[in-house]
Each structure stands twice: as C-alpha cells, then as structure tokens.
Amino acid sequence: AIDWLIKSDLLIFDRPVEKPVKEEDANSDKLLFTQPFMRFWFSSISPYYKGIKEGDYKEMKEHWSHMKAGFSALIYDQLVLEMLKKSFKDAFEGDPIVGIGGYWDKNVEIDILIKRKSGEMIAGVTKYSKAKANKSELTKLKEKCAQAELDVDTLVIFSKNKFSSELKKEKGEKLQLFSLRNLTGLMAELSEKDLLEHTNKKY
C-alpha cells in the first residue's frame, strides 16, 4: 500500500536538509502525505471506518482530539516554509535556496533549516501556542544548532501569536521574526486554477 501511495505521489519521503555531522546520529526519513485530506483520511477515518459506517463516532472523535493540534501544526509548517521561500527569493537572488525543510537526528530536532547554494544556513523555530514567543525560544534554538553542530548564519522565528518586547529587541540582520500576517502574501500568487470548486449540495 505504501509503495502505491508513493508511486501515486500521495506520499513522499521527507528528509532533513542537512545530514548529521556524526553518521551514527542519523535518524530515519519521515513519510508525509502530499494532501492534508489524505493524511486525515488514513489517520482518522480509515482505521475507524467500520464504527463510522455503523454511526459510532466515539473512537474516531477520541483519536482526533489527540492529534488535531499536530495535524494543524504540520499544515502551518508547510505554509511557513512556502512563505520563507517567497520572502527570501529576491534577497537571495545571487545565492538561492537549494534546500528547505527541517533538521532532525537522534538527539535534536529543528523546525526550519534553509540551505543556500553557498552553503550558508538559516535555522528557525515555529511557535503556534497562544502565548507570545519570547527570548527563551531564541536561546533554545541556538542551543539546538550548537548540539547539531550546524554552522548557522541567520535565525528565524515564526509565531502565531506575536512576540515579547524582549525578543523584538533582538530582531536584526541575524534574527528575523515572522507572524501570521506574513502568510497573507501567499494568497497574492493564487490563480483561478488553485481554487476548489464547490460541488456539494447547498441546503
């Protein structure tokens, strides 16, 4: 089944942008559904289809309540990466992005890692909680980069709910802050073919 999903471009391998310095720290690649609905179907509908068909949604709803936050976070992660590609496109014209995604090994995981043609790297963290991102996010990100032995030039932080005053003071050439309003730029490049046609019955 997995082979068919991969061949059908419904499932892809997600690999870290940079390999761990120590080969023994390497971790397995991840598998990602290319469409959020497919991920929802195989994680929350298909395993409980028998009960759902019989009108029993209890088990499915319980499962969904535990995973919906992570489900939304992955969609946000993908949007943030697209936004960063767009945001840095002009600035990186002479030294373009050749890899964008995340980094993980057996010891540490970094939400965002961008690699440019020159080898320069940008690391980042995403924060989706209701609290503002504060300076501790920056400290933890620096610690993770050091632990992974990544030579990072610039850091980025995306926060769904703004930033603390203390963190804003750190903003500069080596630290860029992004928020929800930065995602609105993704809408500008949508065309009619990107829109989904409503085919359900209207009551």
Side-chain angles (χ1 to χ4, degrees), residues 33-43 45 71 75:
F33 281 102
T34 56
Q35 299 174 17
F37 176 76
M38 297 300 291
R39 182 175 175 233
F40 173 69
W41 177 270
F42 282 102
S43 68
I45 301 297
F71 188 91
I75 295 174

Short mmCIF file of all heavy atoms in Angstrom, two decimals, residues 33-43 45 71 75:
data_model
loop_
_atom_site.label_atom_id
_atom_site.label_comp_id
_atom_site.label_asym_id
_atom_site.label_seq_id
_atom_site.Cartn_x
_atom_site.Cartn_y
_atom_site.Cartn_z
N PHE A 33 2.14 12.77 3.74
CA PHE A 33 1.10 12.82 2.71
C PHE A 33 1.17 14.18 2.03
O PHE A 33 1.35 15.21 2.69
CB PHE A 33 -0.29 12.61 3.31
CG PHE A 33 -0.61 11.18 3.60
CD1 PHE A 33 -0.55 10.69 4.90
CD2 PHE A 33 -0.96 10.32 2.58
CE1 PHE A 33 -0.83 9.35 5.17
CE2 PHE A 33 -1.25 8.98 2.84
CZ PHE A 33 -1.18 8.50 4.14
N THR A 34 1.04 14.20 0.72
CA THR A 34 1.13 15.46 -0.02
C THR A 34 -0.15 16.28 0.10
O THR A 34 -0.14 17.48 -0.17
CB THR A 34 1.41 15.19 -1.51
OG1 THR A 34 0.40 14.30 -2.03
CG2 THR A 34 2.78 14.54 -1.69
N GLN A 35 -1.24 15.64 0.50
CA GLN A 35 -2.51 16.35 0.65
C GLN A 35 -3.03 16.17 2.08
O GLN A 35 -3.14 15.04 2.56
CB GLN A 35 -3.55 15.81 -0.34
CG GLN A 35 -3.15 15.97 -1.79
CD GLN A 35 -4.13 15.29 -2.73
OE1 GLN A 35 -5.24 14.96 -2.36
NE2 GLN A 35 -3.70 15.07 -3.96
N PRO A 36 -3.37 17.26 2.75
CA PRO A 36 -3.87 17.16 4.13
C PRO A 36 -5.06 16.21 4.28
O PRO A 36 -5.17 15.49 5.27
CB PRO A 36 -4.27 18.60 4.46
CG PRO A 36 -3.39 19.43 3.60
CD PRO A 36 -3.24 18.66 2.32
N PHE A 37 -5.95 16.20 3.27
CA PHE A 37 -7.13 15.33 3.38
C PHE A 37 -6.72 13.86 3.44
O PHE A 37 -7.31 13.07 4.19
CB PHE A 37 -8.10 15.55 2.22
CG PHE A 37 -9.27 14.59 2.26
CD1 PHE A 37 -10.30 14.78 3.16
CD2 PHE A 37 -9.30 13.48 1.44
CE1 PHE A 37 -11.36 13.88 3.24
CE2 PHE A 37 -10.35 12.57 1.50
CZ PHE A 37 -11.38 12.78 2.40
N MET A 38 -5.72 13.49 2.64
CA MET A 38 -5.27 12.09 2.63
C MET A 38 -4.70 11.71 3.99
O MET A 38 -4.92 10.60 4.49
CB MET A 38 -4.23 11.88 1.54
CG MET A 38 -4.74 12.11 0.13
SD MET A 38 -6.12 11.02 -0.30
CE MET A 38 -5.29 9.44 -0.39
N ARG A 39 -3.98 12.63 4.58
CA ARG A 39 -3.43 12.38 5.92
C ARG A 39 -4.56 12.20 6.93
O ARG A 39 -4.53 11.30 7.77
CB ARG A 39 -2.53 13.55 6.33
CG ARG A 39 -1.88 13.36 7.69
CD ARG A 39 -0.90 14.49 7.97
NE ARG A 39 -0.37 14.37 9.31
CZ ARG A 39 -0.39 15.34 10.22
NH1 ARG A 39 -0.91 16.50 9.92
NH2 ARG A 39 0.10 15.15 11.42
N PHE A 40 -5.58 13.05 6.83
CA PHE A 40 -6.73 12.96 7.72
C PHE A 40 -7.47 11.63 7.52
O PHE A 40 -7.84 10.95 8.48
CB PHE A 40 -7.68 14.13 7.46
CG PHE A 40 -8.98 14.05 8.20
CD1 PHE A 40 -9.02 14.20 9.58
CD2 PHE A 40 -10.16 13.80 7.53
CE1 PHE A 40 -10.22 14.11 10.28
CE2 PHE A 40 -11.37 13.71 8.22
CZ PHE A 40 -11.40 13.87 9.59
N TRP A 41 -7.64 11.25 6.26
CA TRP A 41 -8.37 10.02 5.95
C TRP A 41 -7.68 8.79 6.53
O TRP A 41 -8.29 7.97 7.22
CB TRP A 41 -8.54 9.87 4.44
CG TRP A 41 -9.22 8.58 4.06
CD1 TRP A 41 -8.63 7.38 3.79
CD2 TRP A 41 -10.63 8.35 3.96
NE1 TRP A 41 -9.57 6.42 3.51
CE2 TRP A 41 -10.81 6.99 3.62
CE3 TRP A 41 -11.75 9.17 4.12
CZ2 TRP A 41 -12.06 6.43 3.44
CZ3 TRP A 41 -13.00 8.60 3.93
CH2 TRP A 41 -13.15 7.25 3.60
N PHE A 42 -6.38 8.65 6.24
CA PHE A 42 -5.66 7.45 6.66
C PHE A 42 -5.36 7.41 8.16
O PHE A 42 -5.16 6.34 8.72
CB PHE A 42 -4.36 7.30 5.86
CG PHE A 42 -4.58 6.77 4.47
CD1 PHE A 42 -4.57 7.62 3.37
CD2 PHE A 42 -4.82 5.42 4.25
CE1 PHE A 42 -4.79 7.14 2.09
CE2 PHE A 42 -5.05 4.93 2.97
CZ PHE A 42 -5.03 5.79 1.89
N SER A 43 -5.34 8.58 8.79
CA SER A 43 -5.05 8.60 10.23
C SER A 43 -6.30 8.54 11.09
O SER A 43 -6.29 7.95 12.17
CB SER A 43 -4.26 9.86 10.59
OG SER A 43 -5.07 11.02 10.44
N ILE A 45 -9.92 8.36 9.68
CA ILE A 45 -11.16 7.80 9.13
C ILE A 45 -11.01 6.30 8.83
O ILE A 45 -11.75 5.47 9.35
CB ILE A 45 -11.59 8.55 7.85
CG1 ILE A 45 -11.81 10.03 8.14
CG2 ILE A 45 -12.86 7.91 7.27
CD1 ILE A 45 -12.92 10.32 9.12
N PHE A 71 -1.94 17.93 13.64
CA PHE A 71 -2.39 17.97 12.25
C PHE A 71 -2.33 19.41 11.73
O PHE A 71 -1.82 19.67 10.65
CB PHE A 71 -3.82 17.44 12.17
CG PHE A 71 -4.33 17.26 10.77
CD1 PHE A 71 -4.17 16.05 10.11
CD2 PHE A 71 -4.98 18.29 10.11
CE1 PHE A 71 -4.64 15.88 8.81
CE2 PHE A 71 -5.45 18.13 8.82
CZ PHE A 71 -5.28 16.92 8.17
N ILE A 75 0.35 21.57 8.78
CA ILE A 75 -0.12 22.45 7.70
C ILE A 75 0.53 23.82 7.84
O ILE A 75 1.00 24.41 6.85
CB ILE A 75 -1.66 22.56 7.72
CG1 ILE A 75 -2.28 21.19 7.39
CG2 ILE A 75 -2.14 23.61 6.72
CD1 ILE A 75 -3.78 21.14 7.53
#
